[in-house]
């Protein structure tokens, strides 16, 4: 798959997040949660109008161009949030993390913003560039879809169920369109035609009483006990969704013709990439209380095991894309050759 060109227009528009966030941080009226929510909604609406007026031809070809352009802007904001919370920049989005979504200041929130501001940002530019150049982006879209869905499945329930449940502000409801738009985008990505093939067809977070689980959760990965709830939700998502997928993937790798595996391998690769990046980063971040951070003497074991867990679905996706013939459905059997000659 050739890498699509990045969308320069979308990149330039997304950089507007810097002066906008800096200017808004100087507005004293944004010290109220409702004012922050209303201003954020207004900015997104104005941004959509600007994108539509500047890129009418691209949106007419594929309306997802507007979605990717707006999300690239929010990704730039998320990167500024992460950099500010780690002390690399100051004076940009204080008002939003204090009065809008204070749970973004947790270790998990910071690394979710890092992932969105780097990986998702590049994916948005690449997919928007592919639309502008009239190229395919189905594989990139599937990877982004899996990554985005995993982020939502862990972050939103964690905000409601964890210790920050009392800190939910009006800005939280801005996540409704932020969730609905990717659902619509995901359906469009799945319905896109595949690229023609180049070949022819030939559970410890539930307080398990076992000694091994007790030792692991206290000695190797105490972050799983953090009351912010993000690690617990992520482990449950992995148990109920990722584990069954691995069972189905093992079947598809054994019996040829399972054409669904390449697409879903990309989805789960994106999901596990985002999940493990946020989980591993939050487990060692200074914003995580010291008692819940990974002990220094077990850091190597923790890092290698979680890194392998993240690499597994990526290797599976590489296997599916590199040698796709095994997953193609066999052509229907036609009439015998001698009958064709008689006809």
């Amino acid at each position: 798959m050739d890498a699509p060109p990045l969308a320069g227009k979308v990149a330039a528009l997304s950089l507007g997040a810097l002066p906008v966030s800096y200017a808004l941080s100087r507005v004293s009226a944004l010290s109220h949660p409702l004012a922050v929510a209303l201003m954020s909604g207004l900015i997104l609406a104005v941004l959509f109008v600007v994108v539509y007026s500047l890129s009418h031809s691209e949106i007419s070809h594929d309306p997802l161009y507007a979605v990717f352009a707006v999300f690239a802007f929010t990704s730039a904001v998320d990167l500024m949030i992460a950099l500010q919370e780690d002390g690399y920049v100051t004076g940009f989005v204080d008002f939003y993390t204090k009065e809008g979504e204070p749970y973004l200041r947790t270790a998990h929130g910071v690394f979710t913003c890092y992932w969105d501001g780097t990986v998702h940002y590049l994916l948005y530019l690449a997919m928007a560039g592919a639309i502008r150049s009239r190229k395919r982006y189905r594989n990139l879209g599937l990877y982004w879809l899996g990554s985005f869905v995993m982020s939502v499945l862990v972050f939103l329930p964690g905000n409601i169920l964890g210790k920050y449940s009392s800190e939910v502000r009006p800005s939280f409801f801005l996540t409704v369109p932020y969730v609905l738009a990717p659902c619509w985008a995901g359906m469009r990505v799945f319905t896109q035609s595949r690229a023609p093939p180049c070949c022819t067809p030939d559970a410890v977070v539930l307080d398990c009483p076992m000694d091994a689980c007790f030792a692991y959760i206290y000695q190797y990965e105490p972050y799983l006990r953090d009351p912010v709830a993000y690690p617990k939700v992520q482990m449950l998502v992995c148990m109920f969704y990722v584990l069954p997928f691995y069972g189905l993937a093992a079947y598809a790798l054994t019996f040829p013709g399972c054409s669904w595996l390449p697409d879903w391998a990309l989805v789960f690769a994106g999901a596990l990439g985002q999940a493990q990046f946020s989980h591993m980063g939050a487990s060692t971040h200074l914003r995580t209380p010291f008692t819940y951070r990974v002990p220094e003497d077990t850091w190597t074991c923790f890092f290698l095991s979680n890194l392998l867990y993240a690499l597994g679905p990526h290797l599976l996706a590489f296997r599916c894309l590199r040698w796709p013939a095994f997953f193609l459905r066999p052509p229907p059997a036609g009439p015998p050759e001698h009958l064709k000659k008689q006809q």
Side-chain angles (χ1 to χ4, degrees):
M1 179 185 67
D2 296 334
L6 299 182
K9 187 187 300 184
V10 174
L13 188 63
S14 66
L15 293 178
L18 277 69
V20 169
S21 60
Y22 184 80
L24 291 178
S25 66
R26 298 295 183 268
V27 179
S28 60
L30 293 179
S31 59
H32 192 277
L34 182 59
V36 173
L38 293 176
M39 181 58 70
S40 301
L42 178 62
I43 291 175
L44 292 178
V46 171
L47 180 62
F48 181 82
V49 173
V50 172
V51 171
Y52 184 83
S53 61
L54 295 178
S55 308
H56 186 70
S57 61
E58 289 86 355
I59 296 175
S60 299
H61 174 71
D62 191 337
L64 289 185
Y65 184 90
V67 176
F68 298 147
V70 173
F71 278 16
F73 183 93
T74 61
S75 292
V77 174
D78 281 347
L79 182 59
M80 295 303 300
I81 290 175
L83 292 175
Q84 178 166 283
E85 292 304 318
D86 277 346
Y88 296 109
V89 297
T90 57
F92 279 89
V93 282
D94 282 331
F95 69 96
Y96 194 80
T97 54
K98 290 180 180 178
E99 305 296 339
E101 298 185 72
Y103 36 78
L104 290 176
R105 310 182 77 174
T106 63
H108 185 93
V110 169
F111 275 89
T112 297
C113 289
Y114 271 127
W115 181 269
D116 190 50
T118 54
V119 177
H120 284 176
Y121 181 73
L122 292 176
L123 288 173
Y124 294 140
L125 296 186
M127 291 186 289
I131 294 174
R132 183 176 178 83
S133 303
R134 307 300 192 262
K135 293 185 177 181
R136 299 177 183 272
Y137 63 92
R138 190 173 190 271
N139 290 344
L140 292 175
L142 292 173
Y143 187 91
W144 163 76
L145 180 63
S147 174
F148 194 95
V149 169
M150 175 61 83
S151 174
V152 170
L153 286 178
V154 174
F155 195 58
L156 295 188
N159 297 337
I160 298 173
L161 301 176
K163 68 178 184 179
Y164 281 87
S165 58
S166 61
E167 297 291 334
V168 174
R169 311 287 175 80
S171 296
F172 179 81
F173 296 99
L174 292 175
T175 58
V176 174
Y178 196 66
V179 171
L180 293 180
C183 292
W184 170 65
M187 291 187 291
R188 289 187 61 91
V189 169
F190 262 109
T191 56
Q192 289 182 6
S193 60
R194 299 181 181 180
C198 58
C199 54
T200 57
D202 313 313
V204 294
V205 294
L206 300 179
D207 295 328
C208 175
M210 295 178 59
D211 292 340
C213 296
F214 182 86
Y216 182 81
I217 199 173
Y218 278 88
Q219 299 178 16
Y220 289 87
E221 206 163 340
Y223 178 62
L224 296 175
R225 299 184 293 111
D226 195 325
V228 293
Y230 302 122
K232 291 183 173 64
V233 174
Q234 180 166 311
M235 295 305 109
L236 291 174
V237 169
C238 290
M239 182 174 68
F240 287 113
Y241 294 97
V242 179
L243 184 60
F245 168 74
Y246 281 145
L248 294 174
Y251 172 87
L253 290 171
T254 305
F255 300 96
C258 296
S259 58
W260 52 266
L261 183 59
D263 288 349
W264 284 103
L266 283 168
V267 171
F268 276 86
L272 268 298
Q274 190 280 333
Q276 290 303 100
F277 178 84
S278 300
H279 180 72
M280 295 171 66
S283 298
T284 57
H285 197 266
L286 293 178
R287 289 187 178 270
T288 297
F290 181 79
T291 55
Y292 298 127
R293 292 182 214 160
V294 177
E296 293 184 2
D297 56 339
T298 62
W299 196 89
T300 302
C301 178
F302 162 81
F303 180 81
L304 291 178
S305 60
N306 281 274
L307 181 62
L308 290 175
Y309 187 62
L311 288 178
H314 288 81
L315 294 177
L316 175 62
F318 176 77
R319 160 69 177 86
C320 295
L321 296 176
R322 185 66 178 83
W323 298 282
F326 182 81
F327 307 102
L328 297 178
R329 294 178 179 176
E337 190 68 26
H338 67 278
L339 293 180
K340 291 182 180 180
K341 292 181 179 179
Q342 292 177 3
Q343 295 175 357

